[in-house]
Amino acid sequence: MSNINQSRRRLFNRKKSNAIRPPWSRTDVDFTDVCTRCDKCINVCETHILFRGDGGFPEINFKDDECTFCKKCADTCPEPLFIDTEESPWQLHAVVQESCLANNGIWCQSCKDACDERAITFKLAIGQAPKPLIDTDICTGCGACVAPCPTNAINLVTSS
């Protein structure tokens, strides 16, 4: 197969990335088509959760901190990568995995304590550790619950 055909195939068969892009940014394919990888959003991020990810494009990692929705990434970007910052920042919400201490009978509510939105509650049960419940209607996807989790049992996923 010629190199031209291989290039065309890659162009039309691009896969969606699982990377979490900055809040208010366009869809992943639109984002990577327009982003110049100038690092301005990374440099201005007040909680330092933005980093150069795959291909040098900005991605978010919540392992150390949360998104405060300060809008600095959108405001500093010279490209038309961001939608109206008065809209919802993204369609993310937290999901608790089975490795959660509370799901394994150990009392832990570190995620609840970190959630300013109060989207995480715990269901009491007799003779068991309370189990976490996430209200996806309240969860902003800020990631505040991710870093304090001692077992890395919280992931942020795109809402369906």
Side-chain angles (χ1 to χ4, degrees):
M1 185 183 301
S2 74
N3 287 340
I4 292 173
N5 287 339
Q6 288 176 345
S7 295
R8 283 186 189 150
R9 183 166 298 164
R10 278 191 212 112
L11 176 67
F12 293 111
N13 291 327
R14 292 192 300 182
K15 294 180 182 167
K16 186 178 182 328
S17 169
N18 290 329
I20 299 175
R21 302 290 180 209
W24 298 288
S25 60
R26 300 195 180 282
T27 63
D28 194 57
V29 172
D30 290 340
F31 187 90
T32 56
D33 281 350
V34 177
C35 179
T36 62
R37 297 171 268 197
C38 68
D39 290 348
K40 288 182 180 182
C41 61
I42 294 171
N43 295 331
V44 76
C45 181
E46 64 183 26
T47 55
H48 308 288
I49 60 171
L50 280 172
F51 70 100
R52 275 187 147 230
D54 190 29
F57 295 103
E59 294 182 23
I60 291 184
N61 187 327
F62 295 108
K63 72 178 179 59
D64 294 323
D65 215 334
E66 66 189 273
C67 182
T68 61
F69 304 112
C70 68
K71 302 179 184 179
K72 289 180 182 177
C73 55
D75 291 342
T76 195
C77 184
E79 303 302 328
L81 286 173
F82 293 88
I83 60 171
D84 183 0
T85 56
E86 298 306 313
E87 299 293 322
S88 177
W90 47 34
Q91 298 300 313
L92 293 176
H93 69 272
V95 174
V96 178
Q97 307 300 310
E98 284 304 310
S99 59
C100 169
L101 292 176
N103 284 339
N104 288 286
I106 300 168
W107 192 290
C108 177
Q109 295 187 359
S110 60
C111 56
K112 176 185 173 186
D113 296 340
C115 182
D116 288 340
E117 300 298 321
R118 302 288 180 235
I120 303 173
T121 58
F122 279 77
K123 182 178 180 182
L124 298 175
I126 297 173
Q128 297 179 3
K131 304 272 193 275
L133 299 171
I134 298 179
D135 184 338
T136 57
D137 290 332
I138 299 173
C139 179
T140 63
C142 71
C145 56
V146 175
C149 179
T151 59
N152 300 316
I154 300 178
N155 293 330
L156 290 176
V157 297
T158 304
S159 302
S160 303

